Amino acid sequence: MMQNTKAFLLSYIKYGDTSLILRCYTEEYGFKSFILKNYFFKKYRKKYFLFILNEIEIIFYPKKNDSLELVKEINPSYFFKEIHTDLIKSSILTFIGEILNQILSNEHVKDLSLYQFIKTHLIALDNRKNNFADFHLYFLINLSKYLGFYPLNTNSKLPYFNLDDGIFSLKGKSINQENNSHLWNILLEYDFNDEKNCFNSTQRSQMLEEILTYYKMHLTNFKKPTSLDILKLIFE
């Protein structure tokens, strides 16, 4: 019996001569991998659906044994206006997509709140005309709520934010920059709906490094995205 679900496309790789393996975070089942056959045939007309973090609807045959879920049909679910065509937004999207592809691969159960978090924030980025340079920082720190290591926002007047423990403290460690608590306070109080940026270029670069270090310290085998250098270049 066929099943269907909405899903965000996290990544895809070529399989054989004509097929793709799709790695997706689905609304109904959490993380799933699918095989899409005949993608490279000339008559296949739905290639434009397959952008990273595009929301698609997949109709598929449930897998048998250890085989991949076989896609019967794939269609767009939500139509983004410019998130995949605007250079800066698409670079942010690539960066976020690479991180989600890493950390969601073990999330094999339904989590509707996490799915809606991703969708709501991508729509907000798509709709924003300007002042979205801090979106990736805002997204990652709020994503940590669903991953179980959102910072403990108490004692926020102390001079250091301790990346190891996720708390504000009197003393920093070697990985902490001096008086970094000021920037962490700004980010934790930041609301993307205010339609303004909260950091300058230097601060943004520092916070990006600190957040990625924070993720690495709290997630096993977390690696910095390969798209990081491109993102840094865009925001210099």
Side-chain angles (χ1 to χ4, degrees):
M1 186 179 200
M2 287 183 292
Q3 298 176 352
N4 70 289
T5 183
K6 294 179 181 179
F8 286 106
L9 179 63
L10 301 178
S11 68
Y12 53 85
I13 57 172
K14 187 175 182 181
Y15 181 77
D17 293 329
T18 63
S19 302
L20 285 179
I21 292 177
L22 311 179
R23 290 167 55 89
C24 300
Y25 188 69
T26 73
E27 184 179 40
E28 297 297 329
Y29 309 100
F31 179 85
K32 268 187 178 294
S33 293
F34 302 89
I35 183 165
L36 176 62
K37 293 187 174 181
N38 303 325
Y39 177 78
F40 292 100
F41 285 2
K42 290 184 178 180
K43 66 179 181 179
Y44 196 84
R45 300 181 182 275
K46 298 184 179 180
K47 294 184 179 181
Y48 61 90
F49 297 164
L50 300 186
F51 294 106
I52 298 303
L53 288 184
N54 211 18
E55 188 184 41
I56 53 181
E57 185 165 5
I58 302 174
I59 301 173
F60 63 97
Y61 300 98
K63 66 180 179 180
K64 297 179 180 179
N65 301 320
D66 293 327
S67 61
L68 293 167
E69 316 276 12
L70 175 62
V71 174
K72 179 183 184 295
E73 187 174 342
I74 187 169
N75 294 295
S77 177
Y78 183 87
F79 288 93
F80 290 104
K81 296 188 289 291
E82 62 178 29
I83 200 170
H84 294 104
T85 55
D86 180 275
L87 176 61
I88 299 177
K89 289 182 179 179
S90 64
S91 298
I92 293 173
L93 203 66
T94 299
F95 174 78
I96 289 173
E98 196 173 345
I99 290 178
L100 290 176
N101 190 43
Q102 273 197 70
I103 65 179
L104 296 183
S105 59
N106 294 318
E107 303 294 327
H108 294 282
V109 296
K110 179 177 179 178
D111 188 341
L112 187 58
S113 63
L114 175 54
Y115 188 92
Q116 288 299 326
F117 165 82
I118 296 171
K119 183 170 183 175
T120 299
H121 284 72
L122 293 184
I123 292 174
L125 176 61
D126 189 44
N127 290 336
R128 182 64 59 83
K129 296 303 180 184
N130 46 49
N131 294 330
F132 51 81
D134 296 315
F135 174 83
H136 52 299
L137 307 178
Y138 174 75
F139 182 92
L140 289 179
I141 202 60
N142 284 284
L143 176 64
S144 71
K145 294 177 182 177
Y146 299 88
L147 304 176
F149 55 91
Y150 186 74
L152 185 61
N153 194 12
T154 57
N155 299 317
S156 58
K157 293 183 179 180
L158 297 177
Y160 291 95
F161 177 76
N162 188 309
L163 298 177
D164 193 2
D165 299 324
I167 60 174
F168 291 91
S169 64
L170 281 171
K171 295 182 179 180
K173 297 187 178 180
S174 59
I175 57 173
N176 295 103
Q177 298 203 34
E178 186 175 1
N179 294 323
N180 66 338
S181 68
H182 173 63
L183 298 183
W184 278 90
N185 273 306
I186 291 174
L187 181 59
L188 292 173
E189 294 173 0
Y190 176 58
D191 186 348
F192 189 68
N193 293 322
D194 290 341
E195 298 194 10
K196 62 182 180 180
N197 293 321
C198 58
F199 297 126
N200 60 38
S201 178
T202 300
Q203 293 170 331
R204 187 173 299 117
S205 179
Q206 176 182 332
M207 285 304 295
L208 179 57
E209 287 294 333
E210 291 210 19
I211 289 174
L212 290 177
T213 301
Y214 187 57
Y215 264 64
K216 185 175 180 62
M217 297 184 73
H218 292 271
L219 293 174
T220 304
N221 299 323
F222 179 79
K223 298 179 181 178
K224 290 185 178 181
T226 58
S227 57
L228 176 60
D229 290 340
I230 295 176
L231 193 69
K232 285 183 176 179
L233 183 63
I234 284 177
F235 287 118
E236 280 185 352

Coordinates of all heavy atoms in Angstrom, one line a residue, residues 140-188:
L140 N 20.1 28.6 14.0 CA 20.9 27.5 14.6 C 20.7 27.6 16.1 O 20.6 26.5 16.8 CB 22.4 27.7 14.3 CG 22.8 27.3 12.9 CD1 24.3 27.5 12.6 CD2 22.4 25.9 12.5
I141 N 20.7 28.7 16.7 CA 20.5 28.8 18.2 C 19.2 28.3 18.6 O 19.0 27.6 19.6 CB 20.9 30.2 18.7 CG1 21.2 30.1 20.2 CG2 19.8 31.2 18.5 CD1 22.4 29.2 20.5
N142 N 18.1 28.6 17.8 CA 16.8 28.2 18.1 C 16.6 26.7 17.8 O 15.8 26.0 18.4 CB 15.7 29.0 17.4 CG 15.6 30.4 18.1 OD1 15.0 30.4 19.2 ND2 16.2 31.4 17.6
L143 N 17.3 26.2 16.8 CA 17.3 24.8 16.5 C 17.8 24.0 17.6 O 17.3 22.8 17.9 CB 18.1 24.5 15.2 CG 18.3 23.0 14.8 CD1 16.9 22.4 14.4 CD2 19.3 22.9 13.6
S144 N 18.7 24.5 18.4 CA 19.3 23.8 19.5 C 18.3 23.4 20.6 O 18.5 22.5 21.4 CB 20.5 24.6 20.1 OG 20.0 25.7 20.8
K145 N 17.2 24.2 20.6 CA 16.1 23.8 21.5 C 15.6 22.4 21.3 O 15.2 21.7 22.2 CB 14.9 24.8 21.4 CG 15.2 26.2 21.8 CD 14.0 27.1 21.6 CE 14.3 28.6 21.9 NZ 13.2 29.5 21.6
Y146 N 15.5 22.0 20.0 CA 14.9 20.7 19.6 C 16.0 19.6 19.7 O 15.7 18.5 19.7 CB 14.4 20.8 18.2 CG 13.3 21.8 18.0 CD1 13.6 23.1 17.7 CD2 12.0 21.4 18.2 CE1 12.5 24.1 17.6 CE2 10.9 22.3 18.0 CZ 11.2 23.7 17.7 OH 10.2 24.6 17.6
L147 N 17.2 20.0 19.9 CA 18.3 19.1 20.0 C 18.8 18.9 21.4 O 19.6 18.0 21.7 CB 19.5 19.6 19.1 CG 19.2 19.8 17.6 CD1 20.4 20.4 16.9 CD2 18.7 18.6 16.9
G148 N 18.3 19.7 22.3 CA 18.5 19.4 23.7 C 19.6 20.2 24.3 O 20.0 19.9 25.5
F149 N 20.2 21.2 23.7 CA 21.3 22.0 24.3 C 21.1 23.5 24.1 O 22.1 24.2 24.0 CB 22.6 21.5 23.8 CG 22.8 21.5 22.3 CD1 23.4 22.6 21.7 CD2 22.5 20.4 21.5 CE1 23.6 22.6 20.3 CE2 22.7 20.4 20.2 CZ 23.2 21.5 19.6
Y150 N 19.9 24.0 24.2 CA 19.7 25.4 24.1 C 20.4 26.1 25.4 O 20.3 25.5 26.5 CB 18.2 25.7 24.1 CG 17.9 27.2 23.9 CD1 18.0 27.8 22.7 CD2 17.4 27.9 25.0 CE1 17.7 29.1 22.5 CE2 17.1 29.3 24.8 CZ 17.2 29.9 23.6 OH 16.9 31.2 23.4
P151 N 21.0 27.2 25.2 CA 21.7 27.8 26.3 C 20.8 28.1 27.5 O 19.6 28.5 27.3 CB 22.3 29.1 25.7 CG 22.4 28.8 24.3 CD 21.3 27.9 23.9
L152 N 21.3 27.9 28.7 CA 20.6 28.3 29.9 C 20.8 29.8 30.1 O 21.8 30.3 30.5 CB 21.2 27.5 31.1 CG 20.4 27.7 32.4 CD1 19.0 27.2 32.3 CD2 21.1 27.0 33.5
N153 N 19.7 30.5 29.9 CA 19.8 32.0 29.8 C 19.6 32.6 31.2 O 18.6 33.4 31.5 CB 18.7 32.5 28.8 CG 19.0 34.0 28.5 OD1 20.0 34.5 28.8 ND2 18.0 34.6 27.9
T154 N 20.4 32.2 32.1 CA 20.4 32.8 33.5 C 21.8 33.3 33.8 O 22.8 33.0 33.1 CB 20.0 31.7 34.6 OG1 21.0 30.6 34.5 CG2 18.6 31.2 34.3
N155 N 21.9 34.2 34.8 CA 23.2 34.8 35.1 C 23.8 35.5 33.9 O 25.0 35.5 33.7 CB 24.2 33.8 35.7 CG 23.7 33.2 37.0 OD1 23.1 33.9 37.8 ND2 23.8 31.9 37.1
S156 N 23.0 36.1 33.1 CA 23.4 36.6 31.8 C 24.3 37.9 31.9 O 24.9 38.3 30.9 CB 22.2 37.0 30.9 OG 21.4 37.9 31.6
K157 N 24.5 38.4 33.1 CA 25.3 39.6 33.3 C 26.8 39.1 33.6 O 27.7 40.0 33.6 CB 24.8 40.4 34.5 CG 23.5 41.1 34.2 CD 23.1 42.0 35.3 CE 21.7 42.7 35.0 NZ 21.3 43.6 36.1
L158 N 27.0 37.9 33.7 CA 28.4 37.4 33.9 C 29.2 37.5 32.6 O 28.6 37.6 31.5 CB 28.4 35.9 34.3 CG 27.7 35.7 35.7 CD1 27.7 34.2 36.0 CD2 28.4 36.4 36.8
P159 N 30.5 37.7 32.7 CA 31.3 38.1 31.5 C 31.5 37.1 30.4 O 31.8 37.4 29.3 CB 32.6 38.5 32.1 CG 32.7 37.7 33.4 CD 31.3 37.6 33.9
Y160 N 31.3 35.8 30.7 CA 31.6 34.7 29.7 C 30.4 33.9 29.5 O 29.6 33.6 30.4 CB 32.7 33.8 30.2 CG 34.1 34.5 30.2 CD1 34.6 35.0 31.4 CD2 34.9 34.5 29.1 CE1 35.8 35.6 31.4 CE2 36.1 35.1 29.1 CZ 36.6 35.7 30.3 OH 37.8 36.3 30.3
F161 N 30.2 33.5 28.2 CA 29.3 32.4 27.9 C 30.1 31.1 27.7 O 31.0 31.1 26.8 CB 28.4 32.6 26.7 CG 27.5 31.5 26.3 CD1 26.4 31.3 27.1 CD2 27.8 30.6 25.3 CE1 25.6 30.2 26.8 CE2 27.0 29.5 25.0 CZ 25.9 29.3 25.8
N162 N 30.0 30.2 28.6 CA 30.8 28.9 28.6 C 30.2 28.0 27.5 O 29.1 27.4 27.7 CB 30.7 28.3 30.0 CG 31.7 27.2 30.1 OD1 31.7 26.2 29.3 ND2 32.5 27.2 31.1
L163 N 30.9 27.8 26.4 CA 30.4 26.9 25.3 C 30.3 25.5 25.8 O 29.4 24.7 25.3 CB 31.3 27.0 24.1 CG 31.5 28.4 23.5 CD1 32.5 28.4 22.4 CD2 30.1 28.9 23.0
D164 N 31.1 25.0 26.7 CA 31.1 23.6 27.1 C 29.9 23.3 27.9 O 29.2 22.3 27.6 CB 32.4 23.4 28.0 CG 32.6 21.9 28.2 OD1 31.9 21.1 27.7 OD2 33.6 21.6 28.9
D165 N 29.5 24.2 28.8 CA 28.3 23.9 29.6 C 27.0 24.6 29.2 O 26.0 24.3 29.7 CB 28.7 24.3 31.1 CG 29.9 23.6 31.7 OD1 30.0 22.4 31.3 OD2 30.7 24.2 32.4
G166 N 27.1 25.5 28.3 CA 26.0 26.2 27.8 C 25.4 27.2 28.8 O 24.2 27.4 28.9
I167 N 26.3 27.8 29.6 CA 25.8 28.7 30.7 C 26.7 29.9 30.7 O 27.8 29.9 30.2 CB 25.8 28.0 32.1 CG1 27.2 27.6 32.4 CG2 24.8 26.9 32.1 CD1 27.4 27.1 33.8
F168 N 26.2 31.0 31.3 CA 27.0 32.2 31.5 C 27.8 31.9 32.8 O 27.3 31.4 33.8 CB 26.1 33.4 31.7 CG 25.5 33.8 30.4 CD1 24.2 33.3 30.0 CD2 26.1 34.7 29.5 CE1 23.6 33.7 28.8 CE2 25.5 35.0 28.3 CZ 24.3 34.5 27.9
S169 N 29.1 32.4 32.8 CA 29.9 32.1 34.0 C 30.9 33.2 34.2 O 31.1 34.1 33.4 CB 30.7 30.8 33.8 OG 31.6 30.9 32.6
L170 N 31.6 33.2 35.4 CA 32.6 34.2 35.7 C 33.9 33.9 35.0 O 34.7 34.9 34.7 CB 32.9 34.1 37.2 CG 31.9 34.8 38.1 CD1 32.2 34.5 39.6 CD2 32.0 36.3 37.9
K171 N 34.2 32.7 34.6 CA 35.5 32.3 34.0 C 35.2 31.7 32.7 O 34.3 30.9 32.5 CB 36.3 31.4 34.9 CG 36.8 32.0 36.2 CD 37.6 31.0 37.0 CE 38.1 31.7 38.3 NZ 38.9 30.7 39.1
G172 N 36.1 32.0 31.7 CA 36.0 31.4 30.4 C 37.0 30.3 30.3 O 37.9 30.1 31.1
K173 N 36.9 29.5 29.2 CA 37.9 28.5 28.9 C 38.7 28.9 27.7 O 38.4 30.0 27.1 CB 37.3 27.1 28.7 CG 36.5 26.6 29.9 CD 36.0 25.2 29.8 CE 35.4 24.7 31.0 NZ 34.9 23.3 30.9
S174 N 39.7 28.1 27.2 CA 40.5 28.6 26.1 C 39.8 28.8 24.9 O 40.2 29.6 24.0 CB 41.6 27.5 25.9 OG 41.0 26.3 25.6
I175 N 38.6 28.2 24.7 CA 37.9 28.3 23.5 C 37.0 29.5 23.5 O 36.4 30.0 22.5 CB 37.0 27.1 23.2 CG1 36.0 26.8 24.4 CG2 37.8 25.9 22.9 CD1 35.0 25.7 24.1
N176 N 36.8 30.1 24.7 CA 35.9 31.3 24.8 C 36.7 32.6 24.5 O 37.7 32.8 25.1 CB 35.3 31.3 26.2 CG 34.4 30.2 26.4 OD1 34.7 29.3 27.1 ND2 33.2 30.2 25.9
Q177 N 36.1 33.5 23.7 CA 36.7 34.8 23.6 C 36.2 35.7 24.8 O 35.2 35.5 25.3 CB 36.2 35.4 22.3 CG 36.7 34.6 21.1 CD 36.7 35.4 19.8 OE1 37.0 36.6 19.9 NE2 36.5 34.8 18.7
E178 N 37.1 36.6 25.1 CA 36.9 37.4 26.3 C 35.6 38.2 26.1 O 35.3 38.8 25.1 CB 38.1 38.4 26.5 CG 38.0 39.2 27.8 CD 39.2 40.0 28.0 OE1 40.1 40.0 27.1 OE2 39.3 40.7 29.0
N179 N 34.8 38.2 27.2 CA 33.6 39.0 27.3 C 32.6 38.7 26.1 O 31.9 39.5 25.6 CB 33.9 40.5 27.3 CG 34.6 40.9 28.6 OD1 34.3 40.4 29.7 ND2 35.5 41.8 28.5
N180 N 32.5 37.4 25.8 CA 31.6 37.0 24.7 C 30.2 37.0 25.1 O 29.3 36.8 24.3 CB 32.0 35.6 24.1 CG 31.8 34.5 25.2 OD1 31.8 34.7 26.4 ND2 31.7 33.3 24.7
S181 N 29.9 37.1 26.4 CA 28.5 37.0 26.9 C 27.7 38.2 26.3 O 26.5 38.0 26.1 CB 28.5 37.1 28.5 OG 28.9 38.4 28.9
H182 N 28.3 39.3 26.0 CA 27.5 40.4 25.4 C 26.9 40.0 24.1 O 25.7 40.2 23.9 CB 28.4 41.6 25.2 CG 27.8 42.7 24.5 ND1 26.7 43.4 25.0 CD2 28.1 43.3 23.2 CE1 26.3 44.3 24.1 NE2 27.1 44.3 23.1
L183 N 27.7 39.3 23.3 CA 27.1 38.9 22.0 C 26.1 37.8 22.1 O 25.1 37.7 21.4 CB 28.3 38.5 21.0 CG 29.3 39.5 20.7 CD1 30.4 39.0 19.7 CD2 28.6 40.8 20.1
W184 N 26.4 36.9 23.0 CA 25.4 35.8 23.2 C 24.1 36.3 23.8 O 23.0 35.9 23.4 CB 26.0 34.7 24.2 CG 26.9 33.8 23.5 CD1 28.2 33.9 23.2 CD2 26.5 32.6 22.8 NE1 28.7 32.8 22.5 CE2 27.6 32.0 22.2 CE3 25.3 31.9 22.7 CZ2 27.6 30.8 21.5 CZ3 25.2 30.7 22.0 CH2 26.4 30.2 21.4
N185 N 24.1 37.3 24.6 CA 22.9 38.0 25.1 C 22.1 38.6 24.0 O 20.9 38.5 23.9 CB 23.3 39.0 26.2 CG 23.3 38.4 27.6 OD1 22.4 37.8 28.0 ND2 24.5 38.6 28.3
I186 N 22.8 39.3 23.1 CA 22.2 39.9 22.0 C 21.4 38.8 21.1 O 20.3 39.0 20.7 CB 23.2 40.7 21.1 CG1 23.7 41.9 21.8 CG2 22.6 41.1 19.8 CD1 24.8 42.6 21.1
L187 N 22.1 37.7 20.9 CA 21.5 36.7 20.0 C 20.3 36.0 20.7 O 19.3 35.8 20.1 CB 22.6 35.6 19.7 CG 22.1 34.5 18.8 CD1 21.5 35.0 17.4 CD2 23.2 33.5 18.5
L188 N 20.5 35.7 22.0 CA 19.4 35.1 22.7 C 18.2 36.0 22.8 O 17.0 35.5 23.0 CB 19.9 34.6 24.1 CG 20.9 33.5 24.1 CD1 21.5 33.2 25.5 CD2 20.4 32.2 23.5

